[in-house]
Amino acid sequence: IYGTTTNMAFRITPDGVFTSFGYLPGVDPNAGDRFSVHANGLVYASDGNFYGTTSTGDLPPFSIFFSLTPDGVMTTIHTFASFEEGEGDPTLMLQGPDSKLYGGVGGWFSSITLDGVITRLLQPGGPVPAEFSTAPPSFVLGADDNFYGAGRDYVAQITPSGVETIPQNPLLIGVFDSSNPLIAGSDGNIYCVSGGVYQITTALKATLYTPVGNPPIGDPNYIFGNWTAAAWGPDGSLYAT
């Protein structure tokens, strides 16, 4: 398992051996909180390396796009040196079908090649959609090679070329909580847990599944509280807490 803390990268083997790869690019351990770093996780890319973004505070460089090899070698690929280019935290990136990485960069939904060429695709405006431009993101790559993102009361679709579709779905208005991550199901649909299990098709049609026959309060099988996370199991079922 490879991951990041707020300012370091690490690896943990299946038997629990922890290896630190040192500070992330842009970290100055002697600068204190002035240059605090916010890491946005890692994505494993098709070239066998990991990629990630960081936000380094309110002074240049604002954000850094970097690579991490399985042996722990970190390389800065692109430095966001201007406020306009790096405004706002970059999100965790997802790799698209064209091998480019996609995510929010400086308030734009953008693509980044593995060698650091950035293309701005969409700048969200109006009352929606922050899902592609803020961290943590709630967006996934669907089986149709489009991206799907959750906002308050809606799920949007965005193509790799930056064309966005936001339907007005009455089922989601007033009840859908975008703070929970989306999950790409093995059946080609998108799922999210939020007071029940929402299924979103690639045509952006929503269906809500709620617990049936919930036992009385006090029963160990009683379902209560907020639904927070879910994962797709090997048996084709969705498991949630």
Side-chain angles (χ1 to χ4, degrees), residues 94-186:
L94 295 179
Q95 189 166 37
D98 55 2
S99 297
K100 296 177 183 178
L101 303 182
Y102 291 82
V105 178
W108 289 72
F109 182 70
S110 304
S111 68
I112 307 180
T113 65
L114 299 186
D115 57 357
V117 178
I118 300 174
T119 302
R120 290 178 170 181
L121 300 171
L122 172 71
Q123 185 176 37
V128 292
E131 78 280 3
F132 298 120
S133 59
T134 59
S138 182
F139 72 105
V140 295
L141 179 65
D144 59 351
D145 290 337
N146 292 315
F147 296 95
Y148 293 83
R152 173 66 67 176
D153 297 341
Y154 69 93
V155 172
Q157 178 195 77
I158 183 169
T159 68
S161 61
V163 178
E164 186 175 45
T165 302
I166 306 173
Q168 295 298 316
N169 196 317
L171 182 64
L172 304 181
I173 296 175
V175 295
F176 186 73
D177 183 359
S178 62
S179 63
N180 295 334
L182 298 180
I183 301 163
S186 58

Side-chain angles (χ1 to χ4, degrees), residues 1-216:
I1 297 175
Y2 292 78
T4 58
T5 65
T6 55
N7 56 18
M8 303 183 78
F10 64 87
R11 176 181 64 203
I12 301 178
T13 65
D15 55 355
V17 178
F18 177 87
T19 302
S20 172
F21 294 137
Y23 289 107
L24 295 170
V27 174
D28 182 354
N30 299 315
D33 293 337
R34 184 182 179 191
F35 287 95
S36 61
V37 167
H38 174 77
N40 299 300
L42 299 172
V43 58
Y44 183 66
S46 55
D47 65 350
N49 295 316
F50 298 89
Y51 292 84
T53 58
T54 66
S55 174
T56 56
D58 57 358
L59 293 174
F62 294 102
S63 303
I64 288 175
F65 175 56
F66 69 94
S67 65
L68 170 69
T69 69
D71 295 329
V73 178
M74 284 182 281
T75 302
T76 297
I77 299 175
H78 183 82
T79 298
F80 299 89
S82 68
F83 187 77
E84 290 76 13
E85 186 183 18
E87 180 182 3
D89 288 345
T91 66
L92 173 67
M93 311 299 287
L94 295 179
Q95 189 166 37
D98 55 2
S99 297
K100 296 177 183 178
L101 303 182
Y102 291 82
V105 178
W108 289 72
F109 182 70
S110 304
S111 68
I112 307 180
T113 65
L114 299 186
D115 57 357
V117 178
I118 300 174
T119 302
R120 290 178 170 181
L121 300 171
L122 172 71
Q123 185 176 37
V128 292
E131 78 280 3
F132 298 120
S133 59
T134 59
S138 182
F139 72 105
V140 295
L141 179 65
D144 59 351
D145 290 337
N146 292 315
F147 296 95
Y148 293 83
R152 173 66 67 176
D153 297 341
Y154 69 93
V155 172
Q157 178 195 77
I158 183 169
T159 68
S161 61
V163 178
E164 186 175 45
T165 302
I166 306 173
Q168 295 298 316
N169 196 317
L171 182 64
L172 304 181
I173 296 175
V175 295
F176 186 73
D177 183 359
S178 62
S179 63
N180 295 334
L182 298 180
I183 301 163
S186 58
D187 60 352
N189 295 310
I190 307 299
Y191 291 85
C192 182
V193 291
S194 178
V197 178
Y198 286 90
Q199 179 195 73
I200 313 294
T201 68
T202 54
L204 299 176
K205 178 183 178 180
T207 302
L208 173 62
Y209 300 96
T210 56
V212 177
N214 203 17

